[in-house]
Amino acid sequence: MYRPKTSDIWPPRYGLGMWAWLFQRISGLVLALYLIGHIWVISFSIAGQGGIRFDSVLETLQKPYVLALELLLFWAVLYHGLNGLRVILIDFGLGIREQHILFWTAMAVALALLSWGIIEAWPYITGTPLI
Amino acid sequence: MQFKFHIQRYDPSSDWAPRFERYLVELDPLATVLDGLHKIQEQQDGSLCFRRSCRSAICGSCAMYINGTHRLACKTIIKSLRTKNIKVGPLPRLTIIKDLAVDMGPFFEKVERIMPYLVANSSPPKGERPQSIEERRAINEMIDCIMCGACYSACPIVGLDKDYLGPAALTKAYRFVGDSRDEGAGERLSLVNNQHGVWRCHTIFNCQKVCPKSINPTWSIQQLKKRLTRRPSWVIFGRKG
């Protein structure tokens, strides 16, 4: 008897549902780690005398690469939230046979909101407005 | 036409781990993968081991991992694979007994756990227990299940939780819960109402993707969840996992 490894979760072997599930897990981890980091960074800002640290922390947070990373965070929020809605609908027994349509609708909404975010954030990252 | 079969071999008496072996087979493109396996076994290597019975997608014995997905060897026309290289392996995640034959024991043990038979407490009427066309239509999809184990093997949750009942057993459970003649719904729902039952399903839909009979087990599992949530809360939460 040969017992193969049981942790085969490589999505290309399966379908859209597997991708959706795996990215839900990854975005969830990203958000959880972000929250820890966020509390950690903010806790620095009240340290030091006369708010000196506060100013330096805020300065770092306004650097373009931090703002660009924030767009990634925005995408994680959008994906996790909107795909989460899809999963909740499925758990309510709605749209199980239309899960592909549900997924792509959620992604269309997420992309629309992300492009809005990019347009808004662009001037702060590059210094010139996108549109 | 000549096809190249890459077949995963494993002989428990001499191999530490599975290996691939290549066979060149002359076949009609409209033949099935199972025909190819038969030809190899008959003409090239008599030690090749695989399960099959009906050759017509009814018995569910020949589910294998063919060119990257779960398929029934008897239902897979070689031409439909659009390649001359055919890679055949046993169902992933299941324990291999020899070559392409896997241990289906845990699978059937889990199907047995959900009482896969009609429970009728009332005394039988004269003749048979009738069912209207509409009542039968409600479970048409679930009845099509041939228990080949493709969904069970494709489900990542089965890989992560060895006690998880799996899509096939849960679909079988709904096949009886949804049956108008069945009277065992209460007991059956209690059997799937735990962390190794319906609540383990993460709606990943791999089962639906690979089912050779186009059944959607996720749908059945969600129907069971729906029935369970209609029960009073102390019944849902009262059971230990």
Side-chain angles (χ1 to χ4, degrees):
Chain A
M1 302 271 254
Y2 176 80
R3 210 174 290 277
K5 67 177 193 333
T6 53
S7 54
D8 170 26
I9 53 167
W10 184 235
R13 290 186 203 164
Y14 301 102
L16 182 115
M18 191 74 180
W19 285 103
W21 174 76
L22 199 66
F23 281 131
Q24 187 75 0
R25 294 293 152 128
I26 293 169
S27 57
L29 275 177
V30 166
L31 292 177
L33 290 176
Y34 163 74
L35 275 180
I36 295 169
H38 178 69
I39 292 164
W40 189 61
V41 168
I42 293 302
S43 70
F44 263 121
S45 66
I46 52 166
Q49 275 190 333
I52 301 163
R53 283 277 182 78
F54 182 76
D55 288 346
S56 71
V57 165
L58 267 197
E59 204 179 311
T60 313
L61 290 184
Q62 276 164 2
K63 283 187 174 150
Y65 75 89
V66 179
L67 291 172
L69 277 176
E70 271 181 5
L71 280 178
L72 274 180
L73 178 72
F74 188 40
W75 174 249
V77 171
L78 287 172
Y79 180 85
H80 198 80
L82 285 158
N83 186 54
L85 276 180
R86 162 181 165 272
V87 174
I88 289 170
L89 280 178
I90 290 170
D91 264 336
F92 269 110
L94 299 168
I96 294 166
R97 291 184 199 280
E98 294 82 24
Q99 60 113 351
H100 283 74
I101 303 171
L102 274 185
F103 180 78
W104 292 118
T105 312
M107 286 308 102
V109 176
L111 269 180
L113 287 168
L114 181 72
S115 13
W116 170 67
I118 290 174
I119 292 168
E120 288 292 319
W122 200 261
Y124 298 98
I125 298 172
T126 63
T128 47
L130 186 62
I131 304 174
Chain B
M1 216 188 230
Q2 200 174 47
F3 293 94
K4 209 185 265 175
F5 276 70
H6 306 260
I7 299 178
Q8 186 176 320
R9 303 295 306 270
Y10 170 74
D11 182 351
S13 63
S14 58
D15 294 336
W16 282 104
R19 64 202 151 80
F20 275 91
E21 219 157 285
R22 236 173 33 182
Y23 302 91
L24 294 170
V25 195
E26 200 65 41
L27 278 172
D28 188 319
L30 292 177
T32 63
V33 172
L34 186 64
D35 292 332
L37 293 177
H38 269 299
K39 209 160 179 186
I40 292 166
Q41 197 190 44
E42 284 158 10
Q43 299 175 357
Q44 298 186 31
D45 191 342
S47 69
L48 178 65
C49 173
F50 56 90
R51 278 203 197 95
R52 68 99 180 91
S53 181
C54 75
R55 300 167 288 105
S56 49
I58 279 299
C59 73
S61 302
C62 66
M64 293 169 193
Y65 196 67
I66 301 166
N67 281 17
T69 191
H70 304 64
R71 304 175 208 253
L72 294 179
C74 68
K75 205 191 169 192
T76 308
I77 306 286
I78 288 178
K79 202 179 165 190
S80 73
L81 296 172
R82 293 163 195 271
T83 169
K84 288 191 172 175
N85 289 299
I86 298 153
K87 203 172 168 184
V88 187
L91 285 179
R93 292 200 185 93
L94 305 185
T95 304
I96 304 168
I97 298 173
K98 187 172 188 283
D99 297 341
L100 302 173
V102 289
D103 180 16
M104 295 292 278
F107 171 83
F108 284 110
E109 188 259 316
K110 285 169 186 176
V111 172
E112 264 172 53
R113 245 190 264 170
I114 55 96
M115 305 161 51
Y117 38 80
L118 195 85
V119 175
N121 300 321
S122 54
S123 55
K126 249 167 89 179
E128 64 242 348
R129 293 178 191 276
Q131 193 172 34
S132 74
I133 293 172
E134 282 70 37
E135 285 168 342
R136 162 65 209 236
R137 202 171 280 149
I139 50 170
N140 265 357
E141 184 184 333
M142 287 56 86
I143 284 179
D144 274 352
C145 176
I146 56 174
M147 301 212 277
C148 63
C151 57
Y152 182 77
S153 159
C155 177
I157 309 301
V158 170
L160 298 169
D161 173 13
K162 65 176 170 43
D163 288 326
Y164 176 48
L165 286 170
L170 292 171
T171 301
K172 188 61 95 185
Y174 185 67
R175 179 248 172 276
F176 286 102
V177 168
D179 193 319
S180 57
R181 300 161 298 178
D182 186 77
E183 288 161 19
E187 203 177 334
R188 219 172 263 117
L189 283 172
S190 298
L191 287 171
V192 300
N193 181 23
N194 57 61
Q195 58 163 322
H196 303 300
V198 287
W199 307 111
R200 200 69 170 193
C201 172
H202 285 261
T203 59
I204 298 170
F205 291 100
N206 283 359
C207 48
Q208 175 248 332
K209 175 103 174 132
V210 301
C211 179
K213 302 302 257 186
S214 309
I215 301 167
N216 189 337
T218 314
W219 188 84
S220 297
I221 296 170
Q222 296 308 118
Q223 300 311 305
L224 290 170
K225 285 185 187 171
K226 217 188 237 179
R227 300 234 177 181
L228 279 165
T229 49
R230 283 187 195 144
R231 290 170 139 197
S233 57
W234 62 87
V235 184
I236 300 177
F237 297 112
R239 279 183 65 88
K240 281 181 209 142

